[in-house]
Amino acid sequence: MKAGAIAAAILHTFAKRWDIRGQSPSISMPTISPEAYLATLDHMNLFCRRMAHAADAFDAIISPVFASPALPHGVLSHDRSVDSVAEFFADVFRRAAFTVQYNLTGQPAVSVPLHVLDGLPIGTHIAGRPGGEESLLSLAATLESARPWRDTRPAVSATRTGVST
């Protein structure tokens, strides 16, 4: 099977899965040639390598989780109504500007709620070097021990019936 046919099959599978999950069957899926798809994968791989190289200069990269305080429940839900895939991803990149690149590259990262504003958590995002999960988790555990979150609850919180806390 040629690379172009593989890319076309992957795109077809993606579009089919998008509809099967019921996430937004009316959303307009972009049309892309197999060549453009493979070129996009090359750009993505280059981006991942550059991110990994940049991360090597630091023990950890610390940032907020979101570009704003806590978002209302469902704001970034995958089943919300949007006009296009591009609009959905632009919204995610705008709101989660500090974290989304680590989701794309696969670099280890963790979010720890270290602050509260108006009764809602403010997450601290910590990213590490590729392969640096052990030191990243150790740092996250140390920070969480210094500012325990486990027993913190917002003024209004959901509970499950029959589950002890």
Side-chain angles (χ1 to χ4, degrees):
M1 187 178 233
K2 292 185 178 181
I6 293 170
I10 291 169
L11 284 174
H12 175 73
T13 301
F14 173 77
K16 188 175 177 183
R17 283 186 183 163
W18 189 275
D19 288 342
I20 287 172
R21 290 183 183 157
Q23 292 175 350
S24 265
S26 63
I27 202 164
S28 61
M29 295 299 294
T31 302
I32 185 171
S33 71
E35 294 80 12
Y37 176 75
L38 291 175
T40 301
L41 286 181
D42 284 342
H43 288 293
M44 205 56 194
N45 288 331
L46 177 61
F47 174 74
C48 291
R49 289 192 303 274
R50 286 180 176 167
M51 285 288 295
H53 179 71
D56 277 339
F58 304 96
D59 293 327
I61 299 169
I62 300 174
S63 68
V65 171
F66 285 109
S68 65
L71 299 170
H73 179 71
V75 167
L76 293 180
S77 174
H78 291 285
D79 62 355
R80 66 193 168 107
S81 177
V82 293
D83 292 330
S84 69
V85 173
E87 176 190 324
F88 175 81
F89 285 111
D91 190 36
V92 170
F93 275 81
R94 187 180 78 251
R95 294 176 189 269
F98 303 106
T99 61
V100 73
Q101 61 271 28
Y102 299 101
N103 294 331
L104 294 173
T105 65
Q107 285 177 252
V110 62
S111 296
V112 183
L114 297 178
H115 185 68
V116 176
L117 178 66
D118 297 329
L120 295 173
I122 300 293
T124 300
H125 185 261
I126 310 163
R129 294 180 177 118
E133 287 84 355
E134 185 177 352
S135 43
L136 179 67
L137 291 173
S138 176
L139 174 59
T142 300
L143 290 170
E144 198 165 21
S145 292
R147 300 206 37 120
W149 173 257
R150 182 179 58 203
D151 296 323
T152 303
R153 301 284 184 270
V156 176
S157 65
T159 58
R160 293 187 292 167
T161 308
V163 177
S164 61
T165 55

